[in-house]
C-alpha cells in the first residue's frame, strides 16, 4: 500500500482526473438511447442520453487490454487506494464549491430566494445542473459505480498476483458485484424515476455520496475477502448464489414494475392488468406486497457479497448495516413526501400494501 507522500498524491490526482475526465468525454461522445425524464417541480422534463452501459463495456475492454499487455495494471489502483481516497475527498469539496457558486449565481439571476450558505452547499443550489449538455447528477453515477467496480476488480488482481489463483470467495464476490453494476447500467433509465434525480438538488451530499463515499466504502468487503484464506464449503457458495439471485430479482423487478407503470400504466404486471389506487399508485406485483421491496431486494444483494468475506470481522458488515439505516430513514422521508403529494390516496395505498420492507414484520 502506498503512503500519503506528495508523489503518490500527485499520481492519484492524475489518475482520478484522467478517469473522471475520460468518462465525461465518453458520456458526451458515445451514442446511446434518449429518454425523457419525469416531470420536475418547475413543470419541465429533461431529455437524457443514457449510454453508461456502453461506457462500462468500453472501460472493461480497455482495462482487460491494459492488464494483458502490462500497459496498465489494476494493482496500481489497489496500491494507491489511500492517496486516491484523499484526492477523491478534496475534489468532491472543490466540485461542490463550484456547483454552489454557479447555482447561487443562476438563482440570483432568476430572482429566486437564496437559502443559507451551508444549506445550499450541502444540499445543492440547483436541481439538475449540466455542463456541455451533460446532466451532472446522472453522470455522477458513472464514475461512482464504475469506480466501485474498478476498485473491487483491483482486489482480485492483487490476490491473483499474490496467490496465483482466485479463491471461491473472491470469485463469488467479484461475480456478484460485476453482475450488479452491469445490471444497474443496463437499466440506467430506472434512475430517472428515483427520488434523487426528481427531487434532490445536486450539492455536496450527493457529490460526496457518489464519489468518494460509494467506491471507497462500498468496496470495504474486498479487503476482507482478499485476506480470508478459509475455503468456502459448497453449500455456502450455493446459498449465497441463491440469496444474490433472489435479491437481484426482487430489486430489479420492483424498480422495473414501477418504471413500466409510469411509462405505460396499462401494461400487464405478472400477466394481469395493473391495479392502482386512484389511477396514480400501483398496487400490483411487488408494489402490492410491500411499499419498499426494492430496498429489501438490494439489501439481500449487499448481504450476499458481504457474507463472502466470512465472519472474522464486523467491519465489512458496516456496509449492509449502513444501508439498513439509510433505507429506513429514506423510506420514512419518502413516505412523508408521498403523503404530502398524494394525501388520501397514499393513506389508502398504505392500507392495501401494509408493510414497507419485510412482509408481516416491517
Ligand atoms: P423508489 O424507487 O421507491 O421511489 C420512490 C418514489 O416512487 C416515490 O417518491 C413516488 O414518486 C413513487 N412511488 C412510490 N410508491 C409508488 C407506487 N405504489 N406506485 C407508483 N409510484 C410510487 O425509491 P428511491 O428513489 O429511494 O430508490 C430507487 C432505487 O435506488 C431503489 O432500488 C434503491 O434500492 C436504490 N438506492 C440505492 C442506494 C445505494 O446506496 N445502493 C441508495 C439509495 C437508493 P412519484 O412522485 O413519482 O409518484
Amino acid at each position: 500500500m502506498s503512503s500519503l507522500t506528495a508523489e503518490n498524491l500527485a499520481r492519484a490526482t492524475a489518475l482520478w482526473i484522467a478517469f473522471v475526465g475520460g468518462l465525461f468525454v465518453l458520456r458526451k461522445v458515445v451514442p446511446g438511447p434518449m429518454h425523457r425524464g419525469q416531470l420536475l417541480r418547475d413543470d419541465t422534463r429533461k431529455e437524457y442520453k443514457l449510454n453508461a452501459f456502453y461506457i462500462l463495456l468500453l472501460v472493461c475492454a480497455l482495462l482487460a487490454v491494459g492488464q494483458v499487455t502490462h500497459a496498465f495494471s489494476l494493482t496500481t489502483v489497489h496500491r494507491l487506494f489511500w492517496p486516491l481516497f484523499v484526492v477523491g475527498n478534496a475534489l468532491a469539496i472543490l466540485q461542490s464549491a463550484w456547483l454552489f457558486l454557479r447555482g447561487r449565481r443562476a438563482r440570483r439571476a432568476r430572482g429566486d430566494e437564496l437559502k443559507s450558505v451551508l444549506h445550499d452547499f450541502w444540499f445543492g443550489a440547483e436541481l439538475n445542473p449540466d455542463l456541455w449538455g451533460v446532466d451532472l447528477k446522472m453522470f455522477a453515477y458513472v464514475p461512482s459505480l464504475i469506480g466501485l467496480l474498478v476498485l473491487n476488480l483491483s482486489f482480485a488482481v492483487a490476490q491473483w498476483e499474490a496467490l496465483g489463483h482466485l479463491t471461491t470467495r473472491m470469485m463469488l464476490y467479484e461475480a456478484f458485484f460485476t453482475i450488479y453494476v452491469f445490471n444497474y447500467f443496463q437499466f440506467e433509465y430506472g434512475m430517472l424515476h428515483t427520488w434523487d434525480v426528481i427531487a434532490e438538488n445536486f450539492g455536496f451530499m450527493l457529490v460526496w455520496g457518489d464519489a468518494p463515499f460509494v467506491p471507497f466504502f462500498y468496496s470495504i468487503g474486498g479487503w476482507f475477502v482478499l485476506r480470508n484464506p478459509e475455503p468456502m464449503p459448497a453449500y455456502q457458495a450455493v446459498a449465497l448464489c441463491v440469496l444474490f439471485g433472489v435479491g437481484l430479482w426482487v430489486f430489479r423487478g420492483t424498480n422495473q414494475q414501477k418504471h413500466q407503470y409510469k411509462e405505460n400504466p396499462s401494461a400487464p404486471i405478472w400477466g394481469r392488468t395493473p391495479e392502482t389506487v386512484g389511477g396514480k399508485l400501483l398496487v400490483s406485483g411487488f408494489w402490492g406486497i410491500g411499499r419498499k421491496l426494492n430496498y429489501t431486494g438490494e439489501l439481500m444483494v449487499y448481504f450476499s457479497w458481504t457474507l463472502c468475506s466470512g465472519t472474522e470481522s464486523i467491519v465489512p458488515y458496516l456496509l449492509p448495516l449502513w444501508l439498513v439505516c439509510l433505507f429506513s430513514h429514506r423510506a420514512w422521508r419518502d413516505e412523508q413526501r408521498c403523503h404530502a403529494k398524494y394525501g388520501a390516496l397514499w393513506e389508502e395505498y398504505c392500507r392495501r400494501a401494509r408493510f414497507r420492507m419485510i412482509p408481516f414484520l416491517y
Side-chain angles (χ1 to χ4, degrees):
M1 296 300 293
S2 298
S3 52
L4 294 176
T5 59
E7 193 193 343
N8 286 332
L9 286 170
R11 273 198 197 155
T13 309
L15 198 59
W16 189 285
I17 291 175
F19 177 65
V20 178
L23 291 176
F24 185 82
V25 172
L26 290 176
R27 185 66 154 182
K28 179 82 189 158
V29 302
V30 170
M34 297 301 292
H35 286 265
R36 277 187 91 202
Q38 286 261 80
L39 194 62
L40 301 174
R41 57 184 178 229
D42 61 359
D43 278 342
T44 60
R45 279 179 199 269
K46 280 189 91 171
E47 286 271 329
Y48 297 86
K49 180 171 73 169
L50 300 183
N51 56 3
F53 188 75
Y54 304 119
I55 295 177
L56 178 61
L57 288 176
L58 259 171
V59 171
C60 288
L62 285 174
L63 288 175
V65 171
Q67 200 68 46
V68 171
T69 61
H70 303 288
F72 177 79
S73 172
L74 279 172
T75 44
T76 312
V77 176
H78 184 62
R79 235 185 8 256
L80 288 174
F81 188 91
W82 290 113
L84 282 166
F85 176 72
V86 171
V87 167
N89 276 286
L91 292 180
I93 295 171
L94 281 181
Q95 187 189 348
S96 309
W98 170 70
L99 286 168
F100 165 81
L101 291 175
R102 63 170 265 174
R104 298 270 283 202
R105 203 179 316 125
R107 263 156 82 160
R108 254 190 226 106
R110 287 196 302 265
D112 291 352
E113 179 210 351
L114 293 183
K115 302 252 172 67
S116 75
V117 168
L118 194 62
H119 180 281
D120 279 353
F121 178 80
W122 186 269
F123 291 107
E126 275 185 291
L127 181 62
N128 285 308
D130 62 23
L131 183 66
W132 295 317
V134 173
D135 180 88
L136 293 176
K137 196 160 48 170
M138 280 297 283
F139 169 69
Y141 293 109
V142 179
S144 171
L145 286 167
I146 297 185
L148 171 63
L149 184 65
V150 168
L151 275 177
N152 269 322
L153 290 175
S154 80
F155 290 115
V157 176
Q159 187 175 71
W160 183 271
E161 295 206 340
L163 303 180
H165 69 273
L166 296 183
T167 59
T168 307
R169 292 175 187 284
M170 184 62 88
M171 283 192 276
L172 286 182
Y173 180 79
E174 296 294 341
F176 293 164
F177 249 114
T178 307
I179 293 170
Y180 171 79
V181 173
F182 268 81
N183 181 268
Y184 209 98
F185 284 140
Q186 190 186 350
F187 297 98
E188 191 186 2
Y189 54 78
M191 293 303 297
L192 299 179
H193 295 290
T194 62
W195 189 34
D196 289 355
V197 173
I198 304 164
E200 295 270 31
N201 281 358
F202 194 45
F204 181 76
M205 186 179 78
L206 288 185
V207 169
W208 185 81
D210 286 328
F213 184 67
V214 164
F216 289 93
F217 180 53
Y218 284 35
S219 60
I220 195 167
W223 295 101
F224 296 84
V225 177
L226 180 62
R227 286 180 202 153
N228 190 340
E230 192 92 344
M232 182 184 269
Y235 76 89
Q236 274 183 19
V238 171
L240 290 188
C241 289
V242 171
L243 181 65
F244 174 79
V246 174
L248 192 68
W249 173 65
V250 174
F251 162 62
R252 182 51 58 212
T254 311
N255 287 329
Q256 190 65 15
Q257 286 176 353
K258 185 179 74 171
H259 178 78
Q260 177 187 303
Y261 171 70
K262 300 270 178 188
E263 294 288 305
N264 177 8
S266 55
I269 289 181
W270 289 347
R272 299 166 71 172
T273 306
E275 275 184 65
T276 66
V277 175
K280 294 205 167 135
L281 291 164
L282 183 61
V283 230
S284 285
F286 290 114
W287 295 88
I289 301 171
R291 305 195 293 276
K292 285 289 176 197
L293 288 191
N294 45 355
Y295 290 178
T296 314
E298 194 160 11
L299 278 173
M300 290 165 74
V301 165
Y302 275 65
F303 271 106
S304 69
W305 61 56
T306 304
L307 283 161
C308 293
S309 61
T311 49
E312 285 288 293
S313 167
I314 181 78
V315 176
Y317 291 88
L318 294 179
L319 173 60
L321 292 178
W322 143 258
L323 266 199
V324 168
C325 300
L326 175 83
F327 283 160
S328 307
H329 179 245
R330 204 176 158 97
W332 175 76
R333 272 181 79 196
D334 189 47
E335 295 208 351
Q336 307 268 312
R337 177 182 172 270
C338 289
H339 192 260
K341 179 173 174 182
Y342 295 110
L345 289 184
W346 184 256
E347 285 167 20
E348 168 64 15
Y349 173 58
C350 292
R351 272 193 292 277
R352 295 192 52 187
R354 281 177 40 228
F355 300 97
R356 274 188 184 140
M357 286 163 64
I358 310 175
F360 307 106
L361 281 178
Y362 170 67

